[in-house]
Amino acid sequence: MRLDQLSRCGALSASNNLAVVAEPGSSWSVGGDLTVGSAGAANLLAVTNGGTVTVAGNLYAGFNASSTNNTILVAGGNLMVTNPAGTSLADIRGGTLELNGGLLATSRLLLTNGPAGTLSFTSGTLQSAGTAVTNGAPFGVGDGSSS
């Protein structure tokens, strides 16, 4: 599927929405921004089992302050937030980005809004040209027991 403009999983105040891109060959290409939770809560984007999501604009988890507990899950899939200018941003404001296998490639990764915006990185590959963690939380990678 290809969309050239803004795409949303959980538009406006909608909550509990689900978008899944799974299995090799499955893809979702967004030419603009992708928002998981615009103003609503508990929305989920799952990129799994070889599926690929490509975002040429910015990716947001929880765009507005009222949008909380949203999840972007990458588990064996590929999430690419990049463009030729290197200006794409993965902005985790109101939810969690879970990297549990697979690839997250982004020009910039931003974690903000205190504990409302978090990264859970247990396995996989994170490629970022620049990362800012301003949520006041520790930035941990792995389970804390592996070396």
Side-chain angles (χ1 to χ4, degrees):
M1 176 189 329
R2 175 158 176 80
L3 298 171
D4 290 326
Q5 299 298 321
L6 172 70
S7 296
R8 293 183 180 133
C9 173
L12 304 175
S13 61
S15 297
N16 300 303
N17 296 284
L18 171 67
V20 177
V21 181
E23 304 306 323
S26 297
S27 66
W28 183 8
S29 180
V30 180
D33 294 346
L34 173 59
T35 301
V36 179
S38 180
N43 298 288
L44 170 65
L45 168 64
V47 187
T48 65
N49 300 327
T52 299
V53 173
T54 305
V55 180
N58 299 318
L59 171 68
Y60 298 99
F63 190 80
N64 294 313
S66 61
S67 184
T68 60
N69 298 317
N70 298 289
T71 302
I72 299 170
L73 170 66
V74 180
N78 302 294
L79 178 56
M80 317 294 285
V81 186
T82 59
N83 62 32
T87 58
S88 291
L89 170 67
D91 188 351
I92 312 305
R93 298 177 180 188
T96 301
L97 172 60
E98 294 183 24
L99 183 55
N100 189 12
L103 169 66
L104 168 63
T106 183
S107 300
R108 296 176 296 154
L109 174 62
L110 182 61
L111 304 172
T112 60
N113 296 340
T118 62
L119 170 68
S120 173
F121 184 1
T122 55
S123 67
T125 302
L126 171 62
Q127 297 175 347
S128 174
T131 300
V133 180
T134 61
N135 61 1
F139 184 78
V141 175
D143 61 9
S145 64
S146 300
S147 56

